[in-house]
Amino acid sequence: MPDDLSVTWQSPGLQVHAGAERLASVGGREVLAYFQPGFADRPLIVLLPGGGHLARVFYGHPTADRSDFLAHALGAKGFPVLALSYPCSNEVFPRAHPELTIGEWGQAAAMVTRRVVAEQRLGSHAVLCAWSMGGRAVHPFTIAAQGLGLQVDCFIAMAAAAPMLARGPFPSGVASLNAEGLWDCGAYGVSGETLYRDFYRQVADPEEGGGPIMTEREYRRYYCGLHALGLRGELQIFDGTSSVTSLDNYETASGHGRWEEFPLCAAIAPTSRHDPNSLTNHLRWPLVTLEKLARTLPAVELAAGDWPEILRLAHRAPEILTRTVPGNHFFFLGRRGAHATAEAIAELITATGDLWRRATGRNA
């Protein structure tokens, strides 16, 4: 993606969420943006979706009860919210751009964020929250945002994949692509239809999901779409013709190993046995913060008694920087899950800053 990009809003306006949803064009690629205003003294919450889903999972479909979604719960706490969707096979986009990479998506998302911040006259501070596959975009978004004059105060993972544990190559050697060159669920050994049926079962689960807050037809129409292989932040990308291996997409674009360049990271983990993130997110993302701390401390002048306290903080980091919300991979859906997730986000914004100041004597 070239450096001399600008963001333009496409017209006419969208019929879904008219006035709140807009389609942006960045370098000829589309980004669906949903903005919800909040209080001037609160940082902007930027929400990025996971694989196969639009960011509508955070704010709903036209006839949905908004109180079942995270954006509404964050708004009740005064946070302005910007939810961004990458181009995919959903009908809202003119095309899915199978050649898109994680680095390009992070840059495009940051540019749309900067445009909205300027138009809405918001402050320069943002908090990035991403769900599932969206965790792979943290580094490229943060680097691009900083270059545009924005401060990413922290990143909060929502059952999110981390760049140090990127999946791939798959057991079959490569991930499958469909006829358009988009990532195919067959890499998991199941059909796309089977995977989406399982996703909807989780969404509609009255015990672990949001409950019956949408029909399966609404779910498939408004929330789902196949995406570019390169958005997974893994070794494979689609170069416009075929699948190729790209160390750049895995290491350079995803920021693998360059932990000092990440924002402070924290995590919200689900509790379901059906989501592996229940077992891992409390370690993956606090570890990034500790790696960042380890690279920062050599430049910090410490008093004689500081080190024991820093060690105590480091050992407690998984507890300090993690919150759990009951549920499966879609734990943030439904009134109860949305409220609990918004509460966890608010707590972790404070917790990340407090830990960093106690360890370094500085703001992040």
Side-chain angles (χ1 to χ4, degrees), residues 49-349:
H53 290 80
L54 279 71
R56 287 171 178 165
V57 292
F58 302 125
Y59 56 89
H61 57 281
T63 59
D65 184 341
R66 292 181 62 245
S67 65
D68 284 326
F69 293 87
L70 179 57
H72 177 81
L74 288 168
K77 292 184 172 298
F79 290 106
V81 174
L82 176 63
L84 301 173
S85 300
Y86 51 74
C88 65
S89 64
N90 187 276
E91 64 185 6
V92 74
F93 294 103
R95 60 185 297 254
H97 299 282
E99 76 290 349
L100 189 62
T101 66
I102 192 68
E104 293 165 343
W105 163 232
Q107 182 181 19
M111 292 186 67
V112 175
T113 300
R114 181 66 185 89
R115 177 68 179 266
V116 171
V117 164
E119 290 181 350
Q120 301 295 328
R121 299 182 179 179
L122 304 176
S124 61
H125 289 262
V127 170
L128 181 63
C129 301
W131 169 56
S132 195
M133 183 191 77
R136 301 274 168 74
V138 177
H139 183 268
F141 177 93
T142 300
I143 295 300
Q146 290 173 344
L148 294 167
L150 299 176
Q151 170 66 39
V152 180
D153 290 342
C154 63
F155 166 67
I156 299 174
M158 299 166 55
M164 77 274 282
L165 294 172
R167 182 188 296 271
F170 291 97
S172 62
V174 293
S176 304
L177 300 178
N178 71 0
E180 288 75 40
L182 300 173
W183 183 82
D184 191 300
C185 309
Y188 287 128
V190 298
S191 70
E193 287 298 316
T194 299
L195 188 62
Y196 275 118
R197 279 198 300 272
D198 179 64
F199 281 154
Y200 181 71
R201 180 194 58 77
Q202 293 185 61
V203 168
D205 189 323
E207 297 297 325
E208 291 191 337
I213 62 175
M214 65 186 76
T215 67
E216 186 169 3
R217 182 174 181 275
E218 289 169 332
Y219 169 69
R220 292 297 298 270
R221 177 180 179 185
Y222 292 111
Y223 297 88
C224 301
L226 298 179
H227 58 75
L229 178 62
L231 292 183
R232 302 189 63 79
E234 296 163 355
L235 288 170
Q236 283 180 264
I237 64 169
F238 184 75
D239 67 359
T241 303
S242 61
S243 169
V244 299
T245 296
S246 171
L247 285 174
D248 179 75
N249 194 58
Y250 174 63
E251 294 183 343
T252 305
S254 67
H256 178 82
R258 300 198 305 282
W259 311 122
E260 70 278 6
E261 298 175 356
F262 279 70
L264 301 179
C265 294
I268 304 174
T271 57
S272 171
R273 62 178 294 187
H274 301 112
D275 189 343
N277 292 285
S278 301
L279 298 175
T280 59
N281 262 210
H282 71 291
L283 295 176
R284 289 180 180 180
W285 293 104
L287 176 60
V288 175
T289 297
L290 293 179
E291 291 283 5
K292 180 181 179 75
L293 179 61
R295 289 159 170 75
T296 302
L297 283 177
V300 176
E301 186 174 341
L302 300 178
D306 287 347
W307 184 244
E309 173 62 13
I310 292 172
L311 280 179
R312 283 192 289 270
L313 285 172
H315 294 163
R316 291 186 56 224
E319 175 188 355
I320 295 170
L321 300 179
T322 305
R323 298 294 183 274
T324 57
V325 173
N328 56 38
H329 202 50
F330 297 83
F331 64 87
F332 51 88
L333 286 174
R335 191 170 305 184
R336 181 181 60 184
H339 174 80
T341 303
E343 185 68 26
I345 289 172
E347 290 179 5
L348 288 171
I349 291 172

